[in-house]
Amino acid sequence: MSRRIYLDHAATTPLLEEVVGAMLSALREHYGNPSSIHAEGRRARALVEAGRKTIAQAIGASTAEVFFTSGGTEGNNMAIKCAVRDLGVRRIVSSPTEHHAVLHAIEAVSREYSLEVFWLRVDALGQPNLEQLEELLAQQDAQPTLVSLMHANNEIGTLLDLSTAAQLCQQYGALLHTDAVQTVGHFPIDVRQSPVAFLTGSAHKFHGPKGVGFVYINRNNFTRPFIDGGGQERNMRGGTENVAGIVGMAKALELALRDLEARTQHIRQLRRHFMARLREAFDDIRFNGNPESDADLYTVLSVSFPPSPKNELLLLHLDIAGISASGGSACTSGAEQHSSHVLEAIQADPKRKTIRFSFSHLNQPDEIEETVLRLQQILSTSERGAIV
Ligand code: PLP
């Protein structure tokens, strides 16, 4: 049995040993409830607050502006739903390529409140049209507006010009939420340079644990609790804190930022190599998004294979061949998706087959070589009809 090759890091990343170590120590030794006033409680509280400091410093925020959540989905829901419920937002502008955690939160909140919702046009690379955004923001009698635009797209890697979007929103007094789940720990982020009202992060996308994340809420936009309960997270989110998760997330982010430059270069090189090898090995290979540029999410390569019956179950055959990749959005992987809302939005040819490969610093060049070899085997075998 050949070794497996994991190329699905945009879905989730493995924990690093140092992260496991920090979490184990929190789990074993610091079992106190951070709300308790005794010594065990105080130790656990100290860990939570140290984690908050790490996250806040990493994004240029103050600790008062960082709230722990159960991950990206919760953070996105919290930002969007609280902005409507508590901050008077009556108009939302977003893009059709957002993650379902944003799309469905907008749909849900617009069923409950009377809202205007605008979806920006996106171009073939997946970029939302910022001119259209400006036109919408500049409208004279515009209702208070929330703009929700993801920092990087998880399927095709399109990277938003966050500082321009932030400037526009600031200029016209709109609140900006950015889903930065794919970029926290992979890009430098500074909310002082790109002022946003809300920013969402999730630990498991940068080698931290699943089920923990954070939302940055700018101090001018604090809202009422998203989860009512014991008043934790300065009354924004009730529930005993996930101490070990927070410790793991903070450790993972600390390592990610310490090694940011080296990891980025390594992954960019792997991706360039993969693109070149794919082009050599197969005819008419295309890439969705803009991986030729440096202004995209370098951890993702969305490969578009030409139409062919051989491609139909490609993801499944890759899995059998020991390669983990993804079809459409990671969160619905399992079934082989034929359409994705992102590919539809960029008007990708539905007859072609898209596979998303996504990388981390743990991948090595020989894995890229091996992946191309196995892909060649799969595609030539199925041509002879051996794979049904
Ligand atoms: N937003 C984006 C862009 C994502 O890629 C994901 C996960 O795939 C999420 C949100 C959801 O994050 P979580 O899995 O932490 O709920």
Side-chain angles (χ1 to χ4, degrees):
M1 178 74 185
S2 52
R3 73 191 160 131
R4 290 198 64 86
I5 300 175
Y6 186 76
L7 297 178
D8 202 14
H9 293 89
T12 198
T13 53
L15 288 177
L16 298 179
E17 243 349 279
E18 282 164 280
V19 174
V20 175
M23 289 180 74
L24 280 178
S25 141
L27 285 166
R28 288 200 179 110
E29 292 144 39
H30 303 293
Y31 52 82
N33 185 324
S35 297
S36 302
I37 54 164
H38 47 59
E40 288 82 353
R42 290 199 307 275
R43 276 203 293 273
R45 165 64 51 206
L47 289 181
V48 168
E49 295 315 318
R52 199 185 311 279
K53 196 168 169 195
T54 304
I55 306 290
Q57 281 177 349
I59 60 167
S62 86
T63 49
E65 296 169 312
V66 172
F67 300 89
F68 294 122
T69 64
S70 67
T73 300
E74 184 184 321
N76 287 340
N77 271 267
M78 186 165 168
I80 292 164
K81 293 179 177 172
C82 288
V84 172
R85 190 191 60 186
D86 301 333
L87 301 176
V89 163
R90 287 297 169 265
R91 193 168 78 137
I92 299 184
V93 181
S94 188
S95 137
T97 57
E98 295 294 311
H99 190 271
H100 281 137
V102 164
L103 296 179
H104 293 168
I106 293 175
E107 279 163 25
V109 79
S110 60
R111 277 195 297 272
E112 256 182 76
Y113 294 82
S114 136
L115 300 178
E116 286 179 290
V117 179
F118 293 92
W119 301 104
L120 295 179
R121 291 186 292 276
V122 295
D123 67 15
L125 302 179
Q127 283 293 352
N129 189 315
L130 295 187
E131 282 159 24
Q132 189 192 5
L133 173 64
E134 178 157 19
E135 279 163 28
L136 285 167
L137 295 179
Q139 281 174 0
Q140 283 301 315
D141 47 357
Q143 306 251 52
T145 302
L146 174 75
V147 176
S148 183
L149 292 176
M150 68 203 313
H151 192 195
N153 185 275
N154 50 302
E155 291 192 35
I156 59 172
T158 310
L159 188 68
L160 177 73
D161 178 352
L162 186 59
S163 61
T164 300
Q167 266 167 23
L168 278 177
C169 289
Q170 211 173 34
Q171 184 183 341
Y172 292 99
L175 300 173
L176 176 61
H177 162 243
T178 189
D179 172 348
V181 165
Q182 292 291 341
T183 52
V184 171
H186 302 286
F187 286 87
I189 292 179
D190 190 334
V191 294
R192 288 162 303 194
Q193 273 168 25
S194 303
V196 294
F198 306 97
L199 180 144
T200 317
S202 179
H204 74 108
K205 308 291 186 177
F206 51 86
H207 304 279
K210 292 163 196 49
V212 62
F214 69 90
V215 59
Y216 159 82
I217 306 183
N218 174 275
R219 65 176 75 246
N220 300 322
N221 301 304
F222 288 168
T223 64
R224 288 192 291 123
F226 181 58
I227 297 181
D228 294 296
Q232 288 91 347
E233 294 302 292
R234 295 177 312 295
N235 209 28
M236 277 294 294
R237 189 213 187 237
T240 302
E241 296 86 343
N242 175 0
V243 179
I246 291 166
V247 166
M249 171 162 67
K251 176 52 86 180
L253 190 54
E254 187 189 308
L255 297 173
L257 296 184
R258 188 194 67 189
D259 299 342
L260 188 67
E261 188 57 40
R263 285 189 193 180
T264 307
Q265 277 189 19
H266 176 80
I267 299 169
R268 278 195 193 284
Q269 213 161 336
L270 282 182
R271 190 176 72 158
R272 269 197 296 272
H273 180 55
F274 194 30
M275 287 167 69
R277 291 289 293 113
L278 285 170
R279 282 193 170 118
E280 275 164 28
F282 303 102
D283 290 335
D284 192 19
I285 281 285
R286 296 184 201 160
F287 303 108
N288 297 307
N290 197 10
E292 313 284 355
S293 89
D294 268 359
D296 86 326
L297 179 64
Y298 56 88
T299 50
V300 164
L301 187 63
S302 174
V303 183
S304 163
F305 291 88
S308 154
K310 293 182 273 172
N311 294 338
E312 235 152 63
L313 295 175
L314 187 50
L315 202 54
L316 178 70
H317 292 312
L318 277 169
D319 187 26
I320 295 168
I323 295 167
S324 304
S326 191
S329 170
C331 303
T332 47
S333 62
E336 201 140 324
Q337 271 192 331
H338 288 284
S339 71
S340 100
H341 66 284
V342 177
L343 297 177
E344 268 169 39
I346 61 166
Q347 298 183 357
D349 180 351
K351 293 193 282 304
R352 296 178 68 91
K353 177 77 179 177
T354 292
I355 303 284
R356 180 192 69 180
F357 297 93
S358 50
F359 316 96
S360 82
H361 64 285
L362 302 172
N363 290 125
Q364 295 304 326
D366 64 322
E367 294 180 307
I368 299 300
E369 289 297 331
E370 190 59 38
T371 300
V372 175
L373 266 179
R374 291 188 203 174
L375 262 171
Q376 280 177 310
Q377 277 160 7
I378 291 167
L379 292 174
S380 61
T381 316
S382 53
E383 195 167 23
R384 293 196 299 272
I387 294 175
V388 287

PDB file of all heavy atoms in Angstrom, residues 169-202:
ATOM      1  N   CYS A 169     -15.578  51.053   2.263  1.00  0.00           N
ATOM      2  CA  CYS A 169     -16.619  50.937   3.290  1.00  0.00           C
ATOM      3  C   CYS A 169     -16.483  52.065   4.304  1.00  0.00           C
ATOM      4  O   CYS A 169     -17.474  52.646   4.738  1.00  0.00           O
ATOM      5  CB  CYS A 169     -16.556  49.569   3.966  1.00  0.00           C
ATOM      6  SG  CYS A 169     -17.116  48.274   2.844  1.00  0.00           S
ATOM      7  N   GLN A 170     -15.252  52.379   4.626  1.00  0.00           N
ATOM      8  CA  GLN A 170     -15.036  53.458   5.597  1.00  0.00           C
ATOM      9  C   GLN A 170     -15.509  54.806   5.028  1.00  0.00           C
ATOM     10  O   GLN A 170     -16.213  55.559   5.685  1.00  0.00           O
ATOM     11  CB  GLN A 170     -13.547  53.530   5.941  1.00  0.00           C
ATOM     12  CG  GLN A 170     -13.323  54.002   7.341  1.00  0.00           C
ATOM     13  CD  GLN A 170     -11.862  53.918   7.734  1.00  0.00           C
ATOM     14  OE1 GLN A 170     -10.972  54.110   6.898  1.00  0.00           O
ATOM     15  NE2 GLN A 170     -11.595  53.642   8.980  1.00  0.00           N
ATOM     16  N   GLN A 171     -15.138  55.007   3.765  1.00  0.00           N
ATOM     17  CA  GLN A 171     -15.513  56.269   3.111  1.00  0.00           C
ATOM     18  C   GLN A 171     -17.025  56.494   3.115  1.00  0.00           C
ATOM     19  O   GLN A 171     -17.494  57.608   3.299  1.00  0.00           O
ATOM     20  CB  GLN A 171     -14.982  56.217   1.668  1.00  0.00           C
ATOM     21  CG  GLN A 171     -15.187  57.463   0.879  1.00  0.00           C
ATOM     22  CD  GLN A 171     -14.683  57.267  -0.561  1.00  0.00           C
ATOM     23  OE1 GLN A 171     -13.898  56.353  -0.855  1.00  0.00           O
ATOM     24  NE2 GLN A 171     -15.146  58.108  -1.462  1.00  0.00           N
ATOM     25  N   TYR A 172     -17.788  55.403   2.902  1.00  0.00           N
ATOM     26  CA  TYR A 172     -19.248  55.570   2.794  1.00  0.00           C
ATOM     27  C   TYR A 172     -19.988  55.126   4.060  1.00  0.00           C
ATOM     28  O   TYR A 172     -21.207  54.995   4.067  1.00  0.00           O
ATOM     29  CB  TYR A 172     -19.765  54.786   1.581  1.00  0.00           C
ATOM     30  CG  TYR A 172     -19.286  55.380   0.276  1.00  0.00           C
ATOM     31  CD1 TYR A 172     -18.191  54.829  -0.390  1.00  0.00           C
ATOM     32  CD2 TYR A 172     -19.906  56.502  -0.256  1.00  0.00           C
ATOM     33  CE1 TYR A 172     -17.736  55.385  -1.583  1.00  0.00           C
ATOM     34  CE2 TYR A 172     -19.453  57.064  -1.451  1.00  0.00           C
ATOM     35  CZ  TYR A 172     -18.370  56.493  -2.111  1.00  0.00           C
ATOM     36  OH  TYR A 172     -17.919  57.048  -3.275  1.00  0.00           O
ATOM     37  N   GLY A 173     -19.241  54.865   5.120  1.00  0.00           N
ATOM     38  CA  GLY A 173     -19.885  54.562   6.400  1.00  0.00           C
ATOM     39  C   GLY A 173     -20.562  53.204   6.466  1.00  0.00           C
ATOM     40  O   GLY A 173     -21.510  53.012   7.232  1.00  0.00           O
ATOM     41  N   ALA A 174     -20.086  52.250   5.656  1.00  0.00           N
ATOM     42  CA  ALA A 174     -20.658  50.896   5.725  1.00  0.00           C
ATOM     43  C   ALA A 174     -19.796  50.036   6.644  1.00  0.00           C
ATOM     44  O   ALA A 174     -18.601  50.294   6.821  1.00  0.00           O
ATOM     45  CB  ALA A 174     -20.709  50.283   4.336  1.00  0.00           C
ATOM     46  N   LEU A 175     -20.411  49.013   7.229  1.00  0.00           N
ATOM     47  CA  LEU A 175     -19.649  48.067   8.043  1.00  0.00           C
ATOM     48  C   LEU A 175     -19.100  46.984   7.125  1.00  0.00           C
ATOM     49  O   LEU A 175     -19.832  46.473   6.269  1.00  0.00           O
ATOM     50  CB  LEU A 175     -20.560  47.407   9.083  1.00  0.00           C
ATOM     51  CG  LEU A 175     -21.248  48.329  10.088  1.00  0.00           C
ATOM     52  CD1 LEU A 175     -22.236  47.533  10.937  1.00  0.00           C
ATOM     53  CD2 LEU A 175     -20.194  48.995  10.975  1.00  0.00           C
ATOM     54  N   LEU A 176     -17.842  46.618   7.298  1.00  0.00           N
ATOM     55  CA  LEU A 176     -17.278  45.533   6.473  1.00  0.00           C
ATOM     56  C   LEU A 176     -17.003  44.318   7.336  1.00  0.00           C
ATOM     57  O   LEU A 176     -16.328  44.412   8.375  1.00  0.00           O
ATOM     58  CB  LEU A 176     -15.975  45.992   5.795  1.00  0.00           C
ATOM     59  CG  LEU A 176     -15.234  44.916   4.981  1.00  0.00           C
ATOM     60  CD1 LEU A 176     -16.088  44.370   3.829  1.00  0.00           C
ATOM     61  CD2 LEU A 176     -13.913  45.464   4.419  1.00  0.00           C
ATOM     62  N   HIS A 177     -17.538  43.180   6.907  1.00  0.00           N
ATOM     63  CA  HIS A 177     -17.179  41.900   7.522  1.00  0.00           C
ATOM     64  C   HIS A 177     -16.352  41.134   6.513  1.00  0.00           C
ATOM     65  O   HIS A 177     -16.724  41.047   5.338  1.00  0.00           O
ATOM     66  CB  HIS A 177     -18.448  41.088   7.858  1.00  0.00           C
ATOM     67  CG  HIS A 177     -18.161  39.635   8.077  1.00  0.00           C
ATOM     68  ND1 HIS A 177     -18.680  38.626   7.277  1.00  0.00           N
ATOM     69  CD2 HIS A 177     -17.379  39.002   8.990  1.00  0.00           C
ATOM     70  CE1 HIS A 177     -18.247  37.455   7.711  1.00  0.00           C
ATOM     71  NE2 HIS A 177     -17.462  37.657   8.730  1.00  0.00           N
ATOM     72  N   THR A 178     -15.230  40.567   6.954  1.00  0.00           N
ATOM     73  CA  THR A 178     -14.485  39.704   6.046  1.00  0.00           C
ATOM     74  C   THR A 178     -14.275  38.331   6.670  1.00  0.00           C
ATOM     75  O   THR A 178     -13.844  38.207   7.819  1.00  0.00           O
ATOM     76  CB  THR A 178     -13.148  40.349   5.591  1.00  0.00           C
ATOM     77  OG1 THR A 178     -12.603  39.529   4.545  1.00  0.00           O
ATOM     78  CG2 THR A 178     -12.107  40.458   6.693  1.00  0.00           C
ATOM     79  N   ASP A 179     -14.629  37.317   5.898  1.00  0.00           N
ATOM     80  CA  ASP A 179     -14.390  35.934   6.285  1.00  0.00           C
ATOM     81  C   ASP A 179     -12.934  35.640   5.917  1.00  0.00           C
ATOM     82  O   ASP A 179     -12.603  35.448   4.743  1.00  0.00           O
ATOM     83  CB  ASP A 179     -15.379  35.051   5.505  1.00  0.00           C
ATOM     84  CG  ASP A 179     -15.106  33.563   5.680  1.00  0.00           C
ATOM     85  OD1 ASP A 179     -14.043  33.198   6.208  1.00  0.00           O
ATOM     86  OD2 ASP A 179     -15.964  32.765   5.268  1.00  0.00           O
ATOM     87  N   ALA A 180     -12.082  35.657   6.942  1.00  0.00           N
ATOM     88  CA  ALA A 180     -10.645  35.471   6.697  1.00  0.00           C
ATOM     89  C   ALA A 180     -10.199  34.062   7.105  1.00  0.00           C
ATOM     90  O   ALA A 180      -9.032  33.842   7.437  1.00  0.00           O
ATOM     91  CB  ALA A 180      -9.853  36.536   7.453  1.00  0.00           C
ATOM     92  N   VAL A 181     -11.144  33.134   7.051  1.00  0.00           N
ATOM     93  CA  VAL A 181     -10.856  31.774   7.508  1.00  0.00           C
ATOM     94  C   VAL A 181      -9.695  31.145   6.725  1.00  0.00           C
ATOM     95  O   VAL A 181      -8.888  30.414   7.288  1.00  0.00           O
ATOM     96  CB  VAL A 181     -12.150  30.914   7.421  1.00  0.00           C
ATOM     97  CG1 VAL A 181     -11.850  29.435   7.513  1.00  0.00           C
ATOM     98  CG2 VAL A 181     -13.121  31.331   8.524  1.00  0.00           C
ATOM     99  N   GLN A 182      -9.590  31.454   5.431  1.00  0.00           N
ATOM    100  CA  GLN A 182      -8.517  30.839   4.647  1.00  0.00           C
ATOM    101  C   GLN A 182      -7.216  31.637   4.696  1.00  0.00           C
ATOM    102  O   GLN A 182      -6.194  31.159   4.197  1.00  0.00           O
ATOM    103  CB  GLN A 182      -8.957  30.671   3.177  1.00  0.00           C
ATOM    104  CG  GLN A 182     -10.061  29.635   2.972  1.00  0.00           C
ATOM    105  CD  GLN A 182      -9.587  28.200   3.220  1.00  0.00           C
ATOM    106  OE1 GLN A 182      -8.384  27.896   3.202  1.00  0.00           O
ATOM    107  NE2 GLN A 182     -10.530  27.287   3.432  1.00  0.00           N
ATOM    108  N   THR A 183      -7.246  32.830   5.280  1.00  0.00           N
ATOM    109  CA  THR A 183      -6.020  33.649   5.217  1.00  0.00           C
ATOM    110  C   THR A 183      -5.334  33.871   6.563  1.00  0.00           C
ATOM    111  O   THR A 183      -4.130  34.114   6.590  1.00  0.00           O
ATOM    112  CB  THR A 183      -6.315  35.032   4.585  1.00  0.00           C
ATOM    113  OG1 THR A 183      -7.417  35.621   5.269  1.00  0.00           O
ATOM    114  CG2 THR A 183      -6.627  34.897   3.114  1.00  0.00           C
ATOM    115  N   VAL A 184      -6.082  33.765   7.660  1.00  0.00           N
ATOM    116  CA  VAL A 184      -5.431  33.950   8.966  1.00  0.00           C
ATOM    117  C   VAL A 184      -4.342  32.876   9.099  1.00  0.00           C
ATOM    118  O   VAL A 184      -4.587  31.698   8.856  1.00  0.00           O
ATOM    119  CB  VAL A 184      -6.446  33.824  10.121  1.00  0.00           C
ATOM    120  CG1 VAL A 184      -5.729  33.794  11.465  1.00  0.00           C
ATOM    121  CG2 VAL A 184      -7.452  34.959  10.086  1.00  0.00           C
ATOM    122  N   GLY A 185      -3.151  33.285   9.437  1.00  0.00           N
ATOM    123  CA  GLY A 185      -2.040  32.341   9.573  1.00  0.00           C
ATOM    124  C   GLY A 185      -1.307  32.088   8.252  1.00  0.00           C
ATOM    125  O   GLY A 185      -0.275  31.429   8.238  1.00  0.00           O
ATOM    126  N   HIS A 186      -1.849  32.619   7.147  1.00  0.00           N
ATOM    127  CA  HIS A 186      -1.210  32.417   5.841  1.00  0.00           C
ATOM    128  C   HIS A 186      -0.784  33.735   5.199  1.00  0.00           C
ATOM    129  O   HIS A 186      -0.005  33.740   4.245  1.00  0.00           O
ATOM    130  CB  HIS A 186      -2.156  31.668   4.901  1.00  0.00           C
ATOM    131  CG  HIS A 186      -2.583  30.328   5.433  1.00  0.00           C
ATOM    132  ND1 HIS A 186      -1.735  29.240   5.463  1.00  0.00           N
ATOM    133  CD2 HIS A 186      -3.731  29.915   5.989  1.00  0.00           C
ATOM    134  CE1 HIS A 186      -2.366  28.204   6.013  1.00  0.00           C
ATOM    135  NE2 HIS A 186      -3.578  28.592   6.343  1.00  0.00           N
ATOM    136  N   PHE A 187      -1.342  34.815   5.692  1.00  0.00           N
ATOM    137  CA  PHE A 187      -0.998  36.157   5.209  1.00  0.00           C
ATOM    138  C   PHE A 187      -0.881  37.072   6.423  1.00  0.00           C
ATOM    139  O   PHE A 187      -1.567  36.848   7.425  1.00  0.00           O
ATOM    140  CB  PHE A 187      -2.107  36.730   4.316  1.00  0.00           C
ATOM    141  CG  PHE A 187      -2.172  36.115   2.949  1.00  0.00           C
ATOM    142  CD1 PHE A 187      -2.914  34.965   2.733  1.00  0.00           C
ATOM    143  CD2 PHE A 187      -1.504  36.686   1.882  1.00  0.00           C
ATOM    144  CE1 PHE A 187      -2.977  34.384   1.475  1.00  0.00           C
ATOM    145  CE2 PHE A 187      -1.562  36.113   0.616  1.00  0.00           C
ATOM    146  CZ  PHE A 187      -2.303  34.963   0.417  1.00  0.00           C
ATOM    147  N   PRO A 188      -0.071  38.103   6.331  1.00  0.00           N
ATOM    148  CA  PRO A 188      -0.106  39.094   7.406  1.00  0.00           C
ATOM    149  C   PRO A 188      -1.456  39.815   7.345  1.00  0.00           C
ATOM    150  O   PRO A 188      -1.891  40.194   6.258  1.00  0.00           O
ATOM    151  CB  PRO A 188       1.035  40.054   7.072  1.00  0.00           C
ATOM    152  CG  PRO A 188       1.641  39.578   5.797  1.00  0.00           C
ATOM    153  CD  PRO A 188       0.842  38.456   5.248  1.00  0.00           C
ATOM    154  N   ILE A 189      -2.101  39.964   8.463  1.00  0.00           N
ATOM    155  CA  ILE A 189      -3.384  40.683   8.504  1.00  0.00           C
ATOM    156  C   ILE A 189      -3.277  41.735   9.587  1.00  0.00           C
ATOM    157  O   ILE A 189      -2.817  41.442  10.689  1.00  0.00           O
ATOM    158  CB  ILE A 189      -4.541  39.712   8.821  1.00  0.00           C
ATOM    159  CG1 ILE A 189      -4.750  38.757   7.637  1.00  0.00           C
ATOM    160  CG2 ILE A 189      -5.844  40.479   9.123  1.00  0.00           C
ATOM    161  CD1 ILE A 189      -5.837  37.736   7.847  1.00  0.00           C
ATOM    162  N   ASP A 190      -3.677  42.958   9.250  1.00  0.00           N
ATOM    163  CA  ASP A 190      -3.608  44.023  10.235  1.00  0.00           C
ATOM    164  C   ASP A 190      -4.867  44.878  10.118  1.00  0.00           C
ATOM    165  O   ASP A 190      -5.056  45.577   9.120  1.00  0.00           O
ATOM    166  CB  ASP A 190      -2.349  44.878   9.984  1.00  0.00           C
ATOM    167  CG  ASP A 190      -2.097  45.845  11.132  1.00  0.00           C
ATOM    168  OD1 ASP A 190      -3.067  46.218  11.824  1.00  0.00           O
ATOM    169  OD2 ASP A 190      -0.929  46.239  11.326  1.00  0.00           O
ATOM    170  N   VAL A 191      -5.716  44.787  11.135  1.00  0.00           N
ATOM    171  CA  VAL A 191      -6.984  45.508  11.063  1.00  0.00           C
ATOM    172  C   VAL A 191      -6.798  47.023  11.243  1.00  0.00           C
ATOM    173  O   VAL A 191      -7.747  47.767  11.042  1.00  0.00           O
ATOM    174  CB  VAL A 191      -8.010  44.972  12.092  1.00  0.00           C
ATOM    175  CG1 VAL A 191      -8.409  43.549  11.768  1.00  0.00           C
ATOM    176  CG2 VAL A 191      -7.478  45.072  13.513  1.00  0.00           C
ATOM    177  N   ARG A 192      -5.578  47.447  11.566  1.00  0.00           N
ATOM    178  CA  ARG A 192      -5.353  48.895  11.616  1.00  0.00           C
ATOM    179  C   ARG A 192      -5.117  49.416  10.198  1.00  0.00           C
ATOM    180  O   ARG A 192      -5.526  50.508   9.839  1.00  0.00           O
ATOM    181  CB  ARG A 192      -4.145  49.230  12.499  1.00  0.00           C
ATOM    182  CG  ARG A 192      -4.432  49.023  13.972  1.00  0.00           C
ATOM    183  CD  ARG A 192      -3.166  48.936  14.767  1.00  0.00           C
ATOM    184  NE  ARG A 192      -2.300  47.872  14.264  1.00  0.00           N
ATOM    185  CZ  ARG A 192      -1.248  47.390  14.908  1.00  0.00           C
ATOM    186  NH1 ARG A 192      -0.906  47.885  16.079  1.00  0.00           N
ATOM    187  NH2 ARG A 192      -0.527  46.424  14.395  1.00  0.00           N
ATOM    188  N   GLN A 193      -4.441  48.573   9.372  1.00  0.00           N
ATOM    189  CA  GLN A 193      -4.209  49.003   7.992  1.00  0.00           C
ATOM    190  C   GLN A 193      -5.432  48.785   7.109  1.00  0.00           C
ATOM    191  O   GLN A 193      -5.659  49.516   6.148  1.00  0.00           O
ATOM    192  CB  GLN A 193      -3.031  48.223   7.415  1.00  0.00           C
ATOM    193  CG  GLN A 193      -1.711  48.891   7.723  1.00  0.00           C
ATOM    194  CD  GLN A 193      -0.550  47.987   7.403  1.00  0.00           C
ATOM    195  OE1 GLN A 193      -0.655  47.097   6.565  1.00  0.00           O
ATOM    196  NE2 GLN A 193       0.562  48.207   8.076  1.00  0.00           N
ATOM    197  N   SER A 194      -6.149  47.701   7.371  1.00  0.00           N
ATOM    198  CA  SER A 194      -7.377  47.407   6.616  1.00  0.00           C
ATOM    199  C   SER A 194      -8.512  47.400   7.623  1.00  0.00           C
ATOM    200  O   SER A 194      -8.912  46.338   8.095  1.00  0.00           O
ATOM    201  CB  SER A 194      -7.288  46.032   5.948  1.00  0.00           C
ATOM    202  OG  SER A 194      -6.173  45.962   5.126  1.00  0.00           O
ATOM    203  N   PRO A 195      -9.025  48.574   7.956  1.00  0.00           N
ATOM    204  CA  PRO A 195     -10.011  48.629   9.038  1.00  0.00           C
ATOM    205  C   PRO A 195     -11.322  47.954   8.652  1.00  0.00           C
ATOM    206  O   PRO A 195     -11.973  48.340   7.678  1.00  0.00           O
ATOM    207  CB  PRO A 195     -10.212  50.125   9.278  1.00  0.00           C
ATOM    208  CG  PRO A 195      -9.592  50.824   8.139  1.00  0.00           C
ATOM    209  CD  PRO A 195      -8.738  49.893   7.373  1.00  0.00           C
ATOM    210  N   VAL A 196     -11.665  46.933   9.389  1.00  0.00           N
ATOM    211  CA  VAL A 196     -12.910  46.201   9.150  1.00  0.00           C
ATOM    212  C   VAL A 196     -13.724  46.259  10.442  1.00  0.00           C
ATOM    213  O   VAL A 196     -13.178  46.495  11.523  1.00  0.00           O
ATOM    214  CB  VAL A 196     -12.643  44.714   8.777  1.00  0.00           C
ATOM    215  CG1 VAL A 196     -11.938  44.605   7.443  1.00  0.00           C
ATOM    216  CG2 VAL A 196     -11.854  43.997   9.856  1.00  0.00           C
ATOM    217  N   ALA A 197     -15.012  46.035  10.310  1.00  0.00           N
ATOM    218  CA  ALA A 197     -15.855  45.983  11.504  1.00  0.00           C
ATOM    219  C   ALA A 197     -15.771  44.596  12.133  1.00  0.00           C
ATOM    220  O   ALA A 197     -15.745  44.456  13.359  1.00  0.00           O
ATOM    221  CB  ALA A 197     -17.295  46.325  11.143  1.00  0.00           C
ATOM    222  N   PHE A 198     -15.723  43.565  11.268  1.00  0.00           N
ATOM    223  CA  PHE A 198     -15.704  42.172  11.731  1.00  0.00           C
ATOM    224  C   PHE A 198     -14.727  41.367  10.878  1.00  0.00           C
ATOM    225  O   PHE A 198     -14.675  41.550   9.656  1.00  0.00           O
ATOM    226  CB  PHE A 198     -17.084  41.514  11.559  1.00  0.00           C
ATOM    227  CG  PHE A 198     -18.214  42.250  12.200  1.00  0.00           C
ATOM    228  CD1 PHE A 198     -18.999  43.118  11.443  1.00  0.00           C
ATOM    229  CD2 PHE A 198     -18.520  42.073  13.540  1.00  0.00           C
ATOM    230  CE1 PHE A 198     -20.063  43.801  12.023  1.00  0.00           C
ATOM    231  CE2 PHE A 198     -19.581  42.751  14.129  1.00  0.00           C
ATOM    232  CZ  PHE A 198     -20.355  43.616  13.367  1.00  0.00           C
ATOM    233  N   LEU A 199     -14.035  40.430  11.525  1.00  0.00           N
ATOM    234  CA  LEU A 199     -13.145  39.524  10.792  1.00  0.00           C
ATOM    235  C   LEU A 199     -13.210  38.156  11.460  1.00  0.00           C
ATOM    236  O   LEU A 199     -13.132  38.059  12.691  1.00  0.00           O
ATOM    237  CB  LEU A 199     -11.719  40.073  10.804  1.00  0.00           C
ATOM    238  CG  LEU A 199     -10.640  39.265  10.096  1.00  0.00           C
ATOM    239  CD1 LEU A 199      -9.637  40.216   9.425  1.00  0.00           C
ATOM    240  CD2 LEU A 199      -9.894  38.320  11.028  1.00  0.00           C
ATOM    241  N   THR A 200     -13.369  37.121  10.644  1.00  0.00           N
ATOM    242  CA  THR A 200     -13.555  35.777  11.184  1.00  0.00           C
ATOM    243  C   THR A 200     -12.347  34.890  10.908  1.00  0.00           C
ATOM    244  O   THR A 200     -11.828  34.882   9.786  1.00  0.00           O
ATOM    245  CB  THR A 200     -14.777  35.130  10.491  1.00  0.00           C
ATOM    246  OG1 THR A 200     -15.816  36.086  10.416  1.00  0.00           O
ATOM    247  CG2 THR A 200     -15.243  33.923  11.233  1.00  0.00           C
ATOM    248  N   GLY A 201     -11.920  34.133  11.912  1.00  0.00           N
ATOM    249  CA  GLY A 201     -10.827  33.181  11.733  1.00  0.00           C
ATOM    250  C   GLY A 201     -11.197  31.824  12.315  1.00  0.00           C
ATOM    251  O   GLY A 201     -12.097  31.717  13.154  1.00  0.00           O
ATOM    252  N   SER A 202     -10.488  30.788  11.885  1.00  0.00           N
ATOM    253  CA  SER A 202     -10.781  29.429  12.350  1.00  0.00           C
ATOM    254  C   SER A 202      -9.486  28.638  12.490  1.00  0.00           C
ATOM    255  O   SER A 202      -8.697  28.552  11.541  1.00  0.00           O
ATOM    256  CB  SER A 202     -11.709  28.742  11.340  1.00  0.00           C
ATOM    257  OG  SER A 202     -11.986  27.428  11.757  1.00  0.00           O
TER     258      SER A 202
END
